Amino acid sequence: MKKPFILGIIGGFLGLATALFVILSASSNEMILSGVQAALFSSLGLMGAAIAKKETKFAGYMLITSAVFITLTVPIANTLNFLYLYLPTVACLGVAGTLCFMEPSGAEEMEDL
């Protein structure tokens, strides 16, 4: 259960760093809005990574939702040039969410013992 946690943490911090870069280099209000939304969804990804050990399925939903909505915040800035900046974040969060669904949850592991 380490992989979703580590990938989620990496993706969340990459998303926060990228969002901060976008906010600081913004030339319009739409770009600032896009950066703030990406920062909020990156925080959601960090929260999903934090609960990945106990609530595996719910954490998977949080991580995948975070990846999808970060991708959707990019067109708000009316430019797709920032999409390549967010690609590592989206990839890490998406893979972490997928791994949460592939691994058995904590309750199923206890029953196997």
Side-chain angles (χ1 to χ4, degrees):
M1 191 45 77
K2 286 183 179 180
K3 293 175 191 174
F5 174 73
I6 292 171
L7 283 173
I9 293 292
I10 290 170
F13 282 123
L14 277 174
L16 287 174
T18 305
L20 182 65
F21 174 74
V22 169
I23 291 170
L24 293 178
S25 65
S27 60
S28 68
N29 289 337
E30 288 85 13
M31 293 171 83
I32 293 173
L33 177 64
S34 175
V36 169
Q37 288 176 342
L40 291 174
F41 289 118
S42 295
S43 299
L44 178 68
L46 284 172
M47 288 184 270
I51 65 167
K53 289 184 180 181
K54 295 189 181 210
E55 296 290 331
T56 311
K57 302 290 184 196
F58 185 63
Y61 288 125
M62 289 175 72
L63 289 163
I64 289 177
T65 302
S66 176
V68 168
F69 280 108
I70 287 173
T71 305
L72 293 177
T73 61
V74 174
I76 291 174
N78 292 328
T79 180
L80 294 177
N81 294 336
F82 290 125
L83 187 59
Y84 72 92
L85 292 174
Y86 287 116
L87 281 180
T89 300
V90 171
C92 285
L93 292 174
V95 169
T98 305
L99 285 175
C100 283
F101 289 113
M102 292 174 58
E103 294 185 9
S105 65
E108 293 173 359
E109 289 175 0
M110 295 301 243
E111 290 176 4
D112 291 338
L113 296 176

